[in-house]
Amino acid sequence: MKYFTIDELSYSQMAVRCGLKNIPDKAAVRRLTDLVEKVLDPAREQFGAPVIVSSGYRSPEVNRLVGGVTRSYHLTGRAADLVTGSRDGNRRLFDILTRLPHCELIWENGGRWIHVAL
Ligand SMILES: [Zn+2]
C-alpha cells in the first residue's frame, strides 16, 4: 500500500460524531488491502494528484446511520467512495477506474463522488 492506509479507509465522520467504533476485522482488512493494491493505488498513481476516501469500511451500525444499502460492499471492506476536489477531477478519476478491476463503479449523485468496489 503506497498512497492509502487502513486507518484512512476506516475513518468515519459519522462514527466519530456518534461515538461509535468503526474497526474492520481481519477479513475486512485483507479486502481493504486488496482494494488498495489492485484499484486505489494504481488509480492514484495514474491520476497524479491526491485522491480522498470519503468512506471506506463501514460497520453495520455506521452503514445504517449513513443510509447505506443493507448488502453494501462497504460492510466487508470491498468498497470506497472517492473524491478529488472537483467534478472534472472526479470525471478523470472515473475514466481511469473504468480500466482497473472492479465489480461496481458508480458515478454517485451527479458525480459528487465515485463509488468503487472490488
Ligand atoms: Zn459507496
Side-chain angles (χ1 to χ4, degrees), residues 64-83:
R64 193 175 48 75
L65 286 169
V66 299
V69 294
T70 324
R71 304 177 80 100
S72 169
Y73 282 130
H74 286 281
L75 290 162
T76 49
R78 291 176 57 181
D81 293 339
L82 308 171
V83 293

Side-chain angles (χ1 to χ4, degrees), residues 8-99:
E8 188 179 356
L9 284 154
S10 311
Y11 177 79
S12 160
Q13 239 173 30
M14 182 63 85
V16 172
R17 203 179 309 147
C18 299
L20 298 169
K21 290 203 165 90
N22 191 55
I23 300 168
D25 61 15
K26 267 190 188 164
V29 168
R30 257 197 313 273
R31 292 190 201 98
L32 288 167
T33 305
D34 224 35
L35 178 67
V36 170
E37 288 178 348
K38 292 181 178 147
V39 186
L40 303 190
D41 267 355
R44 167 63 182 81
E45 188 82 42
Q46 290 177 49
F47 187 66
V51 171
I52 297 140
V53 178
S54 58
S55 183
Y57 171 76
R58 294 177 197 155
S59 69
E61 198 163 15
V62 167
N63 189 57
R64 193 175 48 75
L65 286 169
V66 299
V69 294
T70 324
R71 304 177 80 100
S72 169
Y73 282 130
H74 286 281
L75 290 162
T76 49
R78 291 176 57 181
D81 293 339
L82 308 171
V83 293
T84 62
S86 75
R87 198 68 58 100
D88 285 350
N90 290 356
R91 172 59 68 192
R92 200 157 63 77
L93 180 63
F94 188 89
D95 289 342
I96 290 166
L97 287 164
T98 60
R99 296 186 294 271

